[in-house]
Amino acid sequence: MRTPKVALLGMILESNRFARPAGEDDFRSLTWLEGDELLAEARATTPSLASEFAAFVHAMDVTGPWQPVPCTLAASHPAGPVERRVFEMVRGEIIDRLRRDGPFDAVYICNHGAMVAEHSHDPDGDLMAAVRTVVGPEPIIVTTLDLHANVSFKMVEACDLIVGYRTNPHVDMMERGEEAAFSLRRCLFDDKRPQIALKRPPIVPSSVTLLTAEAPYGELIDFGQRRQAELGGAVLNVSVFGNFVFADTPDNGLSVVVTAREDQVIAESLASEIADRAWSIREKFLRTLTPVDEAVRLATEPKRAPVIFSDAGDNPGGGGSGRTTELLAALHSAGARNVYFGSFFDPDLAAEAHQIGAGASFTAVFNRNAGSAVWEKWDHRFEVPAKVLSLHDGNVVGERGMTKGRKLHLGPCAALDLGGVRAVVISDRAQTADPVFFHMLGLDVGGAQCVVVKSRGHFRAGFDKWFESEQVHEIDTAGLTSPVLERWPFKFIPRPSFPLDPDTVWKDRSHN
Ligand SMILES: [Zn+2]
């Protein structure tokens, strides 16, 4: 067989409909790589780009000759809908390159799958369809997506193979990138065309019910893997996507995507079987959070085991601003002791701490510019006497969980002593899913009685060394990622959907 020529590209954004739009800077400051630079970064020892992309390239490198054609990979932290101009710029770069350097044997698309644009509910699908139009019907298009993708029929139509993460917290991105490469090799080798089926029961789970270590979601994913194994080589991949509810699109909802080796009937039938099972256990996709006053009571209770709190309403990993002060202020005013709070996105405060230096005392003003246009209504100003404990430039490598071994650029960082609470301040709006956020500043996670993280679920894989699941509490704080769905003015999510509409009936199974 001749050396396969494979185009590499992607645009990664998880859009929270209620957050501020993602502009060019949001991508440029995280990942915007083209051509040789993109390929070199993917092959670096500790790549800064999406792990599945690097793993795909590595797996292709070690499984035989290939001719990679790196186009563009652009990625932003989760934010609001992408600006139309920015989406079109990235798509334009990709399409130009594909036009110039084709024909191809295959295309690898590395997207998140829950992107929204100012002008479109489904820019992921738009990009994939545009790629298909340019490369033509022959090349195999293989795509990796985040577990929180909102999978559309447009995406399924454009792609030949879709591989979704199977873990939440996401710790299998590298395996999924490798899987995509191995499956692609197999398809190219035996010249068979994979077939995809998509089934979407009307369930719109909240993010807090989508942990894969437990039922119902973990059980559903395991069931899919078991059925795939039982079918031998007939099925290439089974992915059960949980959806990202805050994207608020007509494609929201739990989705089952099955890619069969070559038989569409097998794909359809297995996807239906898993979707039926999801529907039968839908009542389990409900969860109650811990109220803020109960969290304060827990944190101030003497002689208890250490606890970790998720500031669930403000998870930058879901588009949260990273600067709500509700829980910080409540714990501080209650006099809670030995609390580590991470991480607060406040570049002004971090810069001031660097300016006055470690050991200096001052009045820390969190959110000093609160109230101007880009601030969310929950981002309150908070003034408190503080001492600068330690400083860091924010260039670190992840220690545990989702970002283990990955370079992080958090900008100037500081640890502030606010009395009983020690707060980590960062200059990049990132979720605190990794203990490195504390450790880089000399705060030993194992020494805290209460750790609070601005992360909704991914911190579990980073902090499980210190906290068993019964020591983890999801706090019902206000903010852009509050998982209490009834509070949100969703406009585009298909209705009725469970649990937003408790009496939902799944009527039209053939079209879902
Ligand atoms: Zn995700």
Side-chain angles (χ1 to χ4, degrees):
M1 201 186 82
R2 67 194 174 85
T3 302
K5 187 169 160 188
V6 184
L8 306 168
L9 58 99
M11 185 167 189
I12 298 173
L13 172 67
E14 184 182 61
S15 293
N16 182 320
R17 175 80 68 176
F18 307 103
R20 61 169 185 82
E24 190 173 340
D25 282 353
D26 290 291
F27 289 89
R28 297 256 181 230
S29 64
L30 186 62
T31 305
W32 193 315
L33 294 163
E34 300 156 46
D36 293 342
E37 207 189 353
L38 170 58
L39 199 57
E41 186 59 31
R43 286 171 170 159
T45 319
T46 46
S48 63
L49 45 65
S51 307
E52 61 269 40
F53 190 95
F56 179 90
V57 169
H58 182 69
M60 289 300 290
D61 282 345
V62 298
T63 49
W66 68 308
Q67 188 190 340
V69 179
C71 304
T72 296
L73 179 71
S76 160
H77 286 308
V82 61
E83 289 172 8
R84 180 174 191 153
R85 181 187 70 82
V86 177
F87 173 72
E88 287 175 352
M89 197 185 327
V90 174
R91 185 183 57 185
E93 278 185 11
I94 289 168
I95 297 303
D96 286 351
R97 186 80 204 261
L98 292 174
R99 276 212 185 98
R100 201 172 68 223
D101 293 338
F104 301 95
D105 299 291
V107 179
Y108 169 53
I109 301 179
C110 181
N111 273 29
H112 178 286
M115 179 161 52
V116 173
E118 285 177 332
H119 64 291
S120 168
H121 291 306
D122 183 21
D124 291 285
D126 297 343
L127 176 66
M128 292 169 198
V131 169
R132 174 59 81 195
T133 302
V134 174
V135 300
E138 283 308 314
I140 295 198
I141 299 184
V142 53
T143 298
T144 50
L145 296 175
D146 188 280
L147 171 145
H148 295 102
N150 297 321
V151 183
S152 68
F153 285 91
K154 195 171 191 179
M155 295 184 202
V156 168
E157 214 161 279
C159 301
D160 296 292
L161 172 62
I162 292 179
V163 176
Y165 303 168
R166 294 204 290 269
T167 58
N168 185 26
H170 305 330
V171 290
D172 66 334
M173 295 111 115
M174 288 175 72
E175 281 128 292
R176 300 289 77 77
E178 287 167 358
E179 181 193 331
F182 296 152
S183 293
L184 175 60
R185 283 283 190 197
R186 200 174 147 194
C187 295
L188 291 168
F189 181 76
D190 59 12
D191 202 24
K192 285 185 176 142
R193 194 91 199 173
Q195 301 294 333
I196 309 186
L198 165 63
K199 296 286 172 190
R200 283 198 314 221
I203 309 172
V204 183
S206 164
S207 304
V208 283
T209 64
L210 292 175
L211 296 170
T212 52
E214 54 191 54
Y217 191 45
E219 190 269 339
L220 209 52
I221 287 176
D222 291 347
F223 175 71
Q225 293 307 298
R226 233 171 25 245
R227 291 292 294 123
Q228 179 183 347
E230 283 162 14
L231 289 165
V235 173
L236 281 175
N237 179 273
V238 175
S239 298
V240 183
F241 295 95
N243 103 117
F244 183 60
V245 68
F246 298 113
D248 187 21
T249 75
D251 293 306
N252 265 94
L254 191 127
S255 58
V256 182
V257 179
V258 175
T259 308
R261 188 72 208 82
E262 58 177 340
D263 189 335
Q264 182 73 32
V265 176
I266 290 177
E268 295 283 343
S269 135
L270 181 54
S272 293
E273 189 183 338
I274 299 166
D276 283 345
R277 193 174 178 102
W279 184 244
S280 71
I281 59 170
R282 64 188 177 282
E283 297 285 345
K284 294 183 180 168
F285 284 97
L286 292 168
R287 183 109 160 200
T288 314
L289 304 179
T290 304
V292 172
D293 50 2
E294 171 63 11
V296 169
R297 194 195 64 72
L298 265 171
T300 50
E301 193 178 71
K303 292 189 188 149
R304 55 157 176 84
V307 287
I308 187 163
F309 292 167
S310 157
D311 189 345
D314 185 27
N315 167 29
S321 67
R323 47 194 181 192
T324 68
T325 51
E326 181 186 11
L327 194 51
L328 177 65
L331 290 168
H332 179 261
S333 69
R337 311 292 305 170
N338 202 4
V339 176
Y340 289 0
F341 195 112
S343 302
F344 209 89
F345 169 53
D346 196 330
D348 292 335
L349 186 54
E352 186 181 357
H354 275 257
Q355 200 185 6
I356 61 177
S361 294
F362 71 126
T363 299
V365 183
F366 290 77
N367 297 339
R368 65 189 63 179
N369 296 314
S372 63
V374 298
W375 293 74
E376 303 297 340
K377 61 182 172 188
W378 305 282
D379 300 342
H380 300 300
R381 183 184 172 94
F382 177 58
E383 279 189 37
V384 58
K387 183 176 165 188
V388 181
L389 282 175
S390 51
L391 302 164
H392 200 279
D393 67 6
N395 294 319
V396 290
V397 175
E399 285 177 18
R400 288 176 61 77
M402 190 173 72
T403 44
K404 183 178 176 180
R406 193 166 151 187
K407 268 190 224 157
L408 304 173
H409 303 290
L410 304 171
C413 298
L416 304 182
D417 187 351
L418 314 180
V421 180
R422 292 174 172 198
V424 171
V425 182
I426 55 178
S427 297
D428 184 41
R429 195 177 51 84
Q431 70 167 309
T432 305
D434 193 307
V436 76
F437 283 71
F438 296 101
H439 292 167
M440 67 177 169
L441 290 157
L443 299 177
D444 174 18
V445 168
Q449 268 300 301
C450 175
V451 174
V452 187
V453 286
K454 284 191 180 285
S455 170
R456 190 260 319 139
H458 292 312
F459 69 93
R460 287 168 185 265
F463 293 81
D464 58 353
K465 184 175 161 188
W466 300 277
F467 301 96
E468 303 284 338
S469 59
E470 60 273 14
Q471 293 166 272
V472 179
H473 300 266
E474 290 151 336
I475 315 304
D476 185 6
T477 50
L480 275 168
T481 59
S482 165
V484 184
L485 300 188
E486 306 85 78
R487 289 182 194 150
W488 293 98
F490 294 119
K491 276 209 292 233
F492 304 107
I493 288 177
R495 305 298 287 266
S497 282
F498 185 86
L500 283 169
D501 308 293
D503 299 326
T504 302
V505 176
W506 186 9
K507 284 196 209 112
D508 192 356
R509 297 189 179 216
S510 59
H511 288 89
N512 275 315

